[in-house]
Amino acid sequence: MLAQFYPTQWLDSTYEIPFETWYEKGYRGIIFDIDNTLVPHGAPATKEAVELFRRLHKIGFETCLTSNNKEPRVAPFAKAVDSKYIYKAGKPKKAGYEKAMRLMGTDPTTTFFVGDQLFTDVFGANRIGIPTILVKPIHPKEEIQIVLKRFLEKIVLYFYQRQQKKKGA
């Protein structure tokens, strides 16, 4: 039952993902969450984020920011990093992920997702069958509803880590 919330990979930061390796495996589209995945919650695009997206586009990736936030938050960030975007995505519903793939011209076999939350980001991507990379939140300051979910995430991640040890990963 908990496996529906398990990420494909769990890393410390978006900025340590071996994107070239994913491209070599045939992936061409990346769906990203923004807050606490690329920058602290509510922060504008940083130089590091802009440079990351420049690098991704140079590699050959299409990108789409997919956020449950409103357009005034998402659009300026997307413009700064030169990415397609979806606001009020309704994660974990499938529709936002499917729309992102349509915008990028990719499908579940050529797309993966990067985000910081299990119950929205990872669960939604898992529902449509795309690989997921869970990253640790960039900053501890979060909205109260997210803080409450983090407690439950710790339980799920405990069992995820046990499963990974059994696999020898």
Side-chain angles (χ1 to χ4, degrees):
M1 180 180 110
L2 292 179
Q4 64 190 332
F5 301 109
Y6 292 171
T8 306
Q9 279 189 309
W10 185 23
L11 300 173
D12 286 339
S13 169
T14 298
Y15 300 97
E16 70 176 40
I17 296 170
F19 291 104
E20 291 81 0
T21 302
W22 284 86
Y23 193 84
E24 289 167 11
K25 291 179 181 178
Y27 291 92
R28 297 297 180 260
I30 310 169
I31 304 171
F32 283 97
D33 178 50
I34 300 172
D35 289 320
N36 259 341
T37 298
L38 295 165
V39 295
H41 188 82
T46 60
K47 183 179 177 184
E48 186 178 31
V50 171
E51 289 173 3
L52 172 64
F53 277 75
R54 191 174 296 132
R55 178 178 142 221
L56 294 173
H57 296 145
K58 188 175 180 181
I59 291 169
F61 280 112
E62 290 289 329
T63 59
C64 187
L65 302 170
T66 304
S67 175
N68 286 346
N69 222 316
K70 296 177 181 168
E71 190 170 24
R73 165 67 179 134
V74 181
F77 195 98
K79 184 176 182 180
V81 299
D82 190 26
S83 181
K84 295 167 179 68
Y85 69 94
I86 300 168
Y87 63 96
K88 288 185 165 182
K91 294 181 293 183
K93 294 178 183 174
K94 295 178 183 182
Y97 299 88
E98 291 166 342
K99 182 177 180 182
M101 287 187 286
R102 281 193 307 275
L103 288 173
M104 295 187 297
T106 61
D107 62 49
T109 66
T110 59
T111 306
F112 67 99
F113 184 90
V114 180
D116 70 299
Q117 292 189 54
L118 287 179
F119 301 122
T120 51
D121 298 334
V122 171
F123 177 54
N126 284 346
R127 292 179 70 207
I128 61 164
I130 64 174
T132 56
I133 299 176
L134 177 69
V135 295
K136 293 180 181 172
I138 290 174
H139 194 277
K141 181 183 175 282
E142 297 183 295
E143 296 172 343
I144 187 65
Q145 69 272 18
I146 296 172
V147 171
L148 297 173
K149 285 193 272 185
R150 294 287 185 207
F151 175 76
L152 296 173
E153 284 183 353
K154 286 179 183 177
I155 297 166
V156 174
L157 289 169
Y158 168 81
F159 288 103
Y160 168 76
Q161 288 177 306
R162 276 185 42 179
Q163 179 221 33
Q164 293 300 101
K165 285 179 185 171
K166 285 181 185 175
K167 284 182 174 180

